[in-house]
Amino acid sequence: MSDKLNIAVIMGSTREGRLCERVTDWLMGELAALNAFRLSLIDPKDFCEPSGGLSELVMQGIRSELGAADAFIVVTPEYNHSFPAPLKQLIDSVSSEWHTKPVGFVSYGGVSGGLRAVEQLRQVFVELQSASVRDSVCFINAWEQFDSNGVLREQERPRRTLLKMLDQLSWWASALKQARHEDVRHRRLSQDGMALRLACQAG
């Protein structure tokens, strides 16, 4: 596949001993094995500053990575029926880089498998003019799903769900990428090709 889609995988947790690394390692391994995408990994833990903010140099890197992406996959835990604050900070730190691109979710948690975090994230990404795909991968009681070496115990069902999600994500990514290019050509989109002007105009 010569024209591979760019997928940015975004880790949602910065906690010490986080399970997010095991879940993300599984996801990155599955995506790499498909050899169908160009991948980048964004870890908010790499950006943590003592002040809690993000430096301008870090922001430039985030904008570059997210702006180059055709689609996103967010790996998130569920904390207190929601998603982690560092993930929200990362999402809110940019704007147009999210616009008119699809987003999928891989979640993990207790009995809900992180789905309550995903439902809140869907609302956030709607406001950012992103299209969230219907299907997602979730790991219920996630700490039981991986062995002591970080290997997923039962591979087949999560893989089937992931492939279904990727079918949807790829369709939306290709369609929206083409639409962005068309809007650039017709001068309806910024020359950076990142932000579709969706505001309604009278007349």
Side-chain angles (χ1 to χ4, degrees):
M1 185 174 178
S2 58
D3 189 21
K4 294 180 179 179
L5 293 168
N6 296 311
I7 293 184
V9 176
I10 301 162
M11 298 175 71
S13 172
T14 61
R15 284 187 178 180
E16 291 298 323
R18 57 187 178 168
L19 192 59
C20 194
E21 293 182 5
R22 294 187 177 189
V23 178
T24 303
D25 285 347
W26 169 81
L27 173 62
M28 295 296 285
E30 293 291 319
L31 293 174
L34 293 171
N35 195 31
F37 310 103
R38 284 190 293 269
L39 304 173
S40 62
L41 179 62
I42 299 174
D43 183 355
K45 195 171 184 178
D46 294 337
F47 312 140
C48 288
E49 303 251 335
S51 64
L54 298 174
S55 70
E56 183 53 37
L57 184 61
V58 166
M59 286 305 309
Q60 289 176 10
I62 293 174
R63 291 189 191 101
S64 177
E65 289 289 339
L66 296 178
D70 300 308
F72 311 104
I73 299 177
V74 178
V75 182
T76 183
E78 180 181 316
Y79 295 164
N80 301 319
H81 288 215
S82 187
F83 55 93
L87 178 56
K88 186 63 162 71
Q89 182 185 28
L90 175 62
I91 292 170
D92 290 347
S93 67
V94 296
S95 179
S96 62
E97 289 80 4
W98 302 113
H99 291 183
T100 63
K101 298 176 184 178
V103 56
F105 302 98
V106 175
S107 65
Y108 62 96
V111 293
S112 76
L115 289 177
R116 289 174 292 208
V118 169
E119 288 307 306
Q120 292 196 21
L121 282 166
R122 291 186 190 279
Q123 298 178 58
V124 172
F125 278 106
V126 165
E127 181 62 23
L128 290 165
Q129 302 177 29
S130 299
S132 67
V133 299
R134 177 188 180 275
D135 286 275
S136 65
V137 181
C138 73
F139 292 101
I140 297 171
N141 296 328
W143 50 89
E144 298 176 354
Q145 303 293 330
F146 294 84
D147 66 21
S148 59
N149 295 315
V151 177
L152 186 63
R153 297 180 190 276
E154 199 282 301
Q155 301 267 348
E156 189 55 36
R157 181 175 293 179
R159 182 176 292 130
R160 286 200 309 267
T161 307
L162 176 63
L163 291 175
K164 188 174 181 181
M165 184 187 80
L166 289 174
D167 281 344
Q168 299 167 15
L169 196 73
S170 297
W171 189 94
W172 279 101
S174 297
L176 291 174
K177 185 175 184 179
Q178 179 62 33
R180 290 196 305 273
H181 288 171
E182 287 295 313
D183 274 36
V184 168
R185 192 162 62 86
H186 291 97
R187 305 289 184 181
R188 291 195 298 268
L189 194 69
S190 68
Q191 287 302 309
D192 291 335
M194 294 186 296
L196 182 60
R197 305 183 192 282
L198 293 179
C200 296
Q201 297 180 358

